[in-house]
Amino acid sequence: MGCLSVTHKLCISICLGFLVYTAAERQYFTISHNTTWEQARNHCQVCYKEMVTLTPENTHIVSKMANSDHWIGLRKYINYKGTSNNDTPWTGWANGDPLFFQNWYPGWPVFKSPLPKIDCCSCSCTCPVLNSTTTSPPARFSIYTGSNTASMVTSNTEVTSDEGTSASNTEVNSDAGTSASNTEVNSDAGTSDPRNTTSSHSLWSATPQPPVISTCERAPMWPPIIPENNKNYIENSCVVILRFGPWVEKECSEKLPSICYEDRFMGSVTISNITASSAALMWEKGPGDISSYRLVVLSAKGDTNITKTLKNLSYDLEGLIAGTGYDIQVFPVKCGRDLNPQNGTFYTIPGKVENLTVTNYTETTVTLIWKKPEGNYGFFKVTAHSNYVDTESIVKDNITAESLVFDGLTQGNNYTFFVTTGVEDRTRWSDIATISECTSPSKVSKLEAFDNSDTHLKLKWEPPEGNYTGFEVKAMDRNLLDLQANVTYPKDLLAKPFEVEVKGLPNGKQINFNVTAISICKLNGATVHFTTYTAPGPVSNLTLAAGPEWVSANWSFDSKHGEVSNFTAVLSHSGHLDQEKNITAYNVTFKDLKTATRYTVDVYAVTNNLRSPKTTNFIFTSPSPPTDAKVLNSTKDCLNFTWTAPKNSSAREYICNIKSDFWNTDNNKTVNETHCKFTGLKSGSTYNFQVFTLSDNTTSQPAKCSGTTVEDPVEIDLSMLCSSEATLHCDKGETRDKVFDDMKTYFEKELGQHVYYKLQKGSST
Ligand SMILES: *[C@@H]1O[C@H](CO)[C@@H](O)[C@H](O)[C@H]1NC(C)=O
Ligand SMILES: *[C@@H]1O[C@H](CO)[C@@H](O)[C@H](O)[C@H]1NC(C)=O
Ligand SMILES: *[C@@H]1O[C@H](CO)[C@@H](O)[C@H](O)[C@H]1NC(C)=O
Ligand SMILES: *[C@@H]1O[C@H](CO)[C@@H](O)[C@H](O)[C@H]1NC(C)=O
Ligand SMILES: *[C@@H]1O[C@H](CO)[C@@H](O)[C@H](O)[C@H]1NC(C)=O
Ligand SMILES: *[C@@H]1O[C@H](CO)[C@@H](O)[C@H](O)[C@H]1NC(C)=O
Ligand SMILES: *[C@@H]1O[C@H](CO)[C@@H](O)[C@H](O)[C@H]1NC(C)=O
Ligand SMILES: *[C@@H]1O[C@H](CO)[C@@H](O)[C@H](O)[C@H]1NC(C)=O
Ligand SMILES: *[C@@H]1O[C@H](CO)[C@@H](O)[C@H](O)[C@H]1NC(C)=O
Ligand SMILES: *[C@@H]1O[C@H](CO)[C@@H](O)[C@H](O)[C@H]1NC(C)=O
Ligand SMILES: *[C@@H]1O[C@H](CO)[C@@H](O)[C@H](O)[C@H]1NC(C)=O
Ligand SMILES: *[C@@H]1O[C@H](CO)[C@@H](O)[C@H](O)[C@H]1NC(C)=O
C-alpha cells in the first residue's frame, strides 16, 4: 500500500464508498392490523420479505416506528411446529440471521426456574448477580462482531466460546476487514465501532443475562433466592418490541401489530428497437409474488400520460410521437402495494426535415430554409461538406430556427449540406436531408493594363480569395459592345499575378474590360470593370526632304487608325537621339543639322500618352561645297588642284571635273583626298576646274577655279600678200596696220584666253 499514490487511495475509498452505498436498502413496514405472530409472519412473507430482524444499526429506526408493542421476527423456537422437543431456543431470526444482538427488557427472556438444591455448589450464572451475596466479581460480557460468528469473552474467568479456544485478559481485536459479513445487518450505522456499539447498549451489561454458555465457580455461595413462581414464563414465546425499544416475550397467539421488512427493489427497464413511433420495453421480475406491473409512460413535454397494468415483463409501445423524450416507470405491484419503480428514459427518433431549399448564396454564405419535421425535436444540425476541395466539414449545431445563413464557407466552392434533426440529449438523429449549392467566386483585385499597343495589350490582376477554375475577360468598346477580342490565358491557374494577353483590339480607342472569376459551378463572381486605351495606329506616307542643314518630314494619318491627339517626331542619327518634337501638325522641320549625314525620322501618333507603332524613314542632308579650290602646281601637260573640305560634313568623297571648251574635253574623277591631279593636258591651255562634295550620290555645289598648263611656244610665220586696185594702197602703212589689227581680232576671237599665243608684226617684203 505504501506505494499507492494519493489518487489511488482516493479511488479506492470512493469505490468502497460506492459499494456500501449501493448495498440494498432495507425498508421497514408496520402492519397495524392485529394478528397472531404466525399470521403476521405469513403476511410479511407474502407481501414483504420477512418479519423484521433487529440489529444494532436498525434498532433505533425500528423502535421509532413502533409506537406500541409490535411483533418482530424472533421467537423462542423459530421453526416451532407445535412442540419444542429438544430444540435449542433462541437460535436465530425469522429470516435466518444469527442472533448476535439482543436488547431485552430487564427480566427477559424468562426462564423456567428449577427446584433449588441446597448442597449444590454450583450456581447458575443466569441469575442476576447480587452485589451483597457473592464475592465473585460480576461477569462482564462483550460481543465482538469480528468474524462470521460472534465470540464471547469473559474477563478474569475461564472462557468457552463457540470457536472455543481463545483465552485472554484483554480485549480481542476483531478483524476490521470482514465488515462485509455484516451487510445482513442494515448498514445505516455501519461505520461505528462494533465494540462500542455493542457495549453502548448498556442494558446488556447492566443486566447480565444467561449466556448460551455459562461458567460456574466453586466458591461457596449463598443459597439462591428461589423465585416465587414461573408466572412470566412462556413455554413457546414470541417477541415484541416495546414502544421504547427493548424486547419482551409474549404469547404467540396474542393479536398485535407487526413490523415487516423488505429490501428496496432496484430493477431496471431495457428499451430497444426504438423508432420514431415505437419502442420495445423489457423489465426485471420483482421480488416475491408480484401480482402485476404498472407501466407509466410520461412524455417530457407532458402531452402523454399512459398507464397500463401488465402481467408480462415486456411491452411494445406504439403510437409514440417522433423526437419526443419519454420517461418510463414500471411499478411491480405486490399485495396492492407499489414496489420501487424500475425506470427508463428514451427519445424516439426525430423526423427528417422537409422541403429543404436554398434561397440565397453569396461568396461565403448559403441560406437554407426547411420545414420542421412532424413531432418534436430538440434542434437541427447542419454540416457543410466541400465537393471540390478536400477540406474539413463545417458543422453548425443547436439550431432551433427553420432556416440558417450558413457562413464561413470558401468562395467559389461547391458544398453539400446535410441537415439532420436531433433530440435534446443527442441520442437520436433523424434521417439526413441533403442539398448542394455553390458559393460564388470572389472578385479579382489590383487589375492593371500594361504593354498597351495599337491592337493588343496585357492585363494582370491578383487572383481572388477562395477557389476558382478560371477567368473570363470581355473587351468592349466605348458603348460596351463586345469586341470579340482574342484573349490568351496562361496555363497556370494559380499564377500570381495572373496575366493575360488581349489581341485584335481596334486602334486608338477606349477599351472597357469585364474581368470575372469563374468557379467549379460555372458561377460567375462579381465582375470587375476596367477601362484603358489602345495606342493609335501608325502614321502613313512619311516623306522626308533635306537640305544641307535641315530635314523636313510630312505624313498623313488615317482616321481608321484611331483618334490622335498629337504626333511625336524623333530625329536621330547613328543610333543617337538628336531631337524630339511633339506637334499637332502633320509635318515638322528639324534644323541645324550636319550636312551630308544620314538622319532617321520616327513618327508616332499619340493618344492618352500611348504611342502608336513608329513609322520610320531616313534621309541624308545634302553636302556643302568645298572651298578655296586652287592650282597646287602645273606642268606642260599636268594640273594639280587642291581645295579645303567643307565644315560640319560627314562626307569624305569628292568629284573633280576639268573642262576645256576649246579642246572640247571634260574629265571627271572621284577622289577621297582634298587634291586631284589631271594629266595628258595640252600645254599652255587654260582649263576650268570644279570640285563637288559627294554624299549619298548627291553632289554639293562646286568650288571652282581655272588652271593653265605651262606653255611650250612654237614660232609660226604668217605671210600676207596684199593686192589692191588702188596702186600703192598696199604700201601704205595704214593699210598694213589695219590688216594686222583685223588678224589680231580674229585670233582673239578664235583663241581668246584658252590657249597661250603671242602675235608679232614682222617686216614686209
Ligand atoms: C390492536 O389491538 C390494540 C389493543 O390490543 C388496539 O388498541 C388497537 O386498536 C388494535 N388495532 C387494530 C387495527 O385493530
Ligand atoms: C455492593 O455491596 C457493597 C458492600 O456490601 C456496597 O458497598 C455497594 O453499595 C453495593 N453496590 C450496589 C450497587 O448495591
Ligand atoms: C467507547 O467509546 C468511548 C467514547 O466514545 C471511548 O472513550 C471508549 O474508549 C470506547 N471503548 C472502546 C472499547 O472502544
Ligand atoms: C426510479 O425513480 C424513482 C424516482 O423517480 C426513484 O425513487 C427510484 O428509486 C428509481 N428506481 C430505480 C431502480 O432507481
Ligand atoms: C426488435 O426488432 C427486431 C426486428 O423487428 C425483432 O426481431 C426483435 O425481436 C425486436 N426486439 C425486441 C426487444 O423487441
Ligand atoms: C397521469 O394521469 C393520472 C391519471 O390519469 C394522474 O393521476 C397523473 O397525475 C397524471 N400524471 C401526470 C404527470 O400528469
Ligand atoms: C413541401 O413541399 C410540397 C410541394 O411543394 C408541399 O406539398 C408540402 O406541403 C411542403 N411541406 C411542408 C411541410 O411545407
Ligand atoms: C441574398 O444575399 C445578398 C447578400 O446578403 C442580399 O443582398 C440579397 O438581397 C439576398 N437575396 C435574397 C433573395 O434574399
Ligand atoms: C480552394 O480554396 C482553399 C481556401 O482558400 C485553398 O486552400 C485551396 O487551395 C483552394 N483550392 C483550389 C483548387 O483552388
Ligand atoms: C487567337 O490567338 C491565337 C494565338 O495567337 C490564335 O491561334 C487564334 O487563332 C486566335 N483566335 C482568333 C479567334 O482570332
Ligand atoms: C460587363 O459587366 C457588366 C456588369 O458589371 C454587365 O452589365 C455587362 O453585360 C458585361 N458585359 C459583357 C460583355 O459581359
Ligand atoms: C455540386 O456538387 C454536387 C455533388 O458533386 C453535384 O451533384 C452538383 O451538381 C454540383 N453543383 C453544381 C452547381 O455544379
Side-chain angles (χ1 to χ4, degrees), residues 270-275 279-282 314-316:
T270 309
I271 302 147
S272 60
N273 280 11
I274 296 173
T275 69
L281 308 180
M282 268 169 54
S314 64
Y315 184 73
D316 288 338

Side-chain angles (χ1 to χ4, degrees), residues 629-634 639-643 674-676 705:
K630 60 189 180 196
V631 177
L632 190 59
N633 50 47
S634 58
L639 280 172
N640 198 356
F641 295 93
T642 184
W643 59 88
T674 53
H675 52 91
C676 185
C705 70

Side-chain angles (χ1 to χ4, degrees), residues 353-356 370-374 402:
V353 302
E354 289 179 53
N355 293 8
L356 174 63
W370 58 83
K371 288 271 183 268
K372 68 178 180 204
E374 280 183 24
E402 288 171 71

Side-chain angles (χ1 to χ4, degrees), residues 504-647:
L505 299 174
N507 305 152
K509 287 275 158 60
Q510 178 186 330
I511 310 289
N512 294 300
F513 284 103
N514 276 2
V515 179
T516 313
I518 300 173
S519 80
I520 175 83
C521 304
K522 309 284 179 270
L523 279 176
N524 293 345
T527 295
V528 177
H529 203 72
F530 182 75
T531 299
T532 187
Y533 295 85
T534 46
V539 302
S540 47
N541 302 333
L542 174 62
T543 53
L544 303 178
E549 292 185 333
W550 56 266
V551 170
S552 73
N554 69 63
W555 56 86
S556 59
F557 185 78
D558 190 335
S559 63
K560 77 169 190 263
H561 284 163
E563 297 139 23
V564 66
S565 53
N566 60 303
F567 300 96
T568 299
V570 178
L571 180 84
S572 58
H573 79 276
S574 325
H576 299 291
L577 180 90
D578 239 37
Q579 294 180 31
E580 178 171 325
K581 293 196 175 184
N582 291 323
I583 54 266
T584 49
Y586 285 55
N587 56 64
V588 69
T589 303
F590 299 98
K591 290 185 179 143
D592 300 327
L593 308 182
K594 285 189 176 181
T595 57
T597 304
R598 178 186 158 125
Y599 280 96
T600 303
V601 178
D602 299 329
V603 180
Y604 305 90
V606 178
T607 311
N608 297 298
N609 293 327
L610 294 171
R611 283 180 173 182
S612 69
K614 71 184 174 187
T615 303
T616 283
N617 208 342
F618 70 88
I619 197 167
F620 282 86
T621 42
S622 40
S624 54
T627 51
D628 200 14
K630 60 189 180 196
V631 177
L632 190 59
N633 50 47
S634 58
T635 60
K636 287 179 190 164
D637 61 352
C638 171
L639 280 172
N640 198 356
F641 295 93
T642 184
W643 59 88
T644 308
K647 275 184 194 151

Side-chain angles (χ1 to χ4, degrees), residues 669-688:
K669 205 172 204 183
T670 303
V671 294
N672 289 331
E673 310 93 346
T674 53
H675 52 91
C676 185
K677 193 175 184 178
F678 290 95
T679 53
L681 304 180
K682 305 281 187 196
S683 60
S685 301
T686 299
Y687 288 87
N688 288 325

Side-chain angles (χ1 to χ4, degrees), residues 21-282:
Y21 181 77
T22 54
E25 183 191 335
R26 190 156 284 189
Q27 294 175 300
Y28 304 98
F29 302 85
T30 55
I31 311 301
S32 56
H33 188 57
N34 288 339
T35 60
T36 66
W37 190 92
E38 292 286 357
Q39 289 168 331
R41 186 181 185 196
N42 193 43
H43 180 69
C44 284
Q45 284 175 339
V46 170
C47 294
Y48 303 91
K49 186 158 183 196
E50 208 12 304
M51 290 179 93
V52 67
T53 295
L54 291 172
T55 63
E57 290 77 28
N58 73 2
T59 185
H60 65 282
I61 301 170
V62 174
S63 62
K64 263 185 212 152
M65 298 170 70
N67 53 355
S68 65
D69 298 357
H70 280 70
W71 291 125
I72 61 174
L74 185 65
R75 67 183 293 177
K76 191 186 271 180
Y77 303 101
I78 199 69
N79 291 319
Y80 184 75
K81 300 280 189 317
T83 168
S84 62
N85 290 350
N86 301 325
D87 275 5
T88 316
W90 310 117
T91 51
W93 292 91
N95 68 353
D97 285 357
L99 185 65
F100 63 80
F101 165 74
Q102 300 175 46
N103 186 24
W104 292 104
Y105 191 74
W108 267 276
V110 178
F111 284 80
K112 198 176 185 178
S113 303
L115 287 175
K117 286 184 180 172
I118 304 302
D119 55 346
C120 177
C121 64
S122 65
C123 84
S124 168
C125 290
T126 57
C127 298
V129 177
L130 296 177
N131 184 7
S132 55
T133 58
T134 179
T135 54
S136 66
R140 189 161 64 84
F141 294 93
S142 298
I143 293 177
Y144 290 86
T145 59
S147 62
N148 284 342
T149 49
S151 62
M152 250 188 289
V153 179
T154 58
S155 60
N156 296 334
T157 57
E158 284 180 38
V159 172
T160 313
S161 77
D162 280 353
E163 305 294 319
T165 53
S166 70
S168 167
N169 288 342
T170 57
E171 294 169 5
V172 175
N173 277 332
S174 65
D175 178 359
T178 58
S179 61
S181 66
N182 287 339
T183 52
E184 294 190 348
V185 175
N186 191 325
S187 59
D188 271 1
T191 53
S192 61
D193 184 336
R195 283 167 291 184
N196 242 350
T197 307
T198 307
S199 60
S200 71
H201 292 281
S202 56
L203 280 167
W204 172 266
S205 51
T207 57
Q209 294 300 315
V212 179
I213 292 121
S214 60
T215 60
C216 300
E217 283 205 7
R218 289 187 197 165
M221 299 179 68
W222 295 98
I225 294 172
I226 300 163
E228 292 166 26
N229 50 40
N230 285 323
K231 72 175 162 80
N232 280 336
Y233 175 75
I234 303 167
E235 175 62 29
N236 174 24
S237 63
C238 294
V239 180
V240 295
I241 185 169
L242 300 178
R243 158 170 70 79
F244 44 91
W247 314 339
V248 299
E249 293 169 285
K250 294 239 175 191
E251 284 289 351
C252 294
S253 56
E254 255 188 74
K255 300 210 166 181
L256 288 173
S258 54
I259 300 176
C260 304
Y261 82 88
E262 188 169 45
D263 291 328
R264 183 191 279 268
F265 175 55
M266 301 298 280
S268 62
V269 180
T270 309
I271 302 147
S272 60
N273 280 11
I274 296 173
T275 69
S277 65
S278 69
L281 308 180
M282 268 169 54

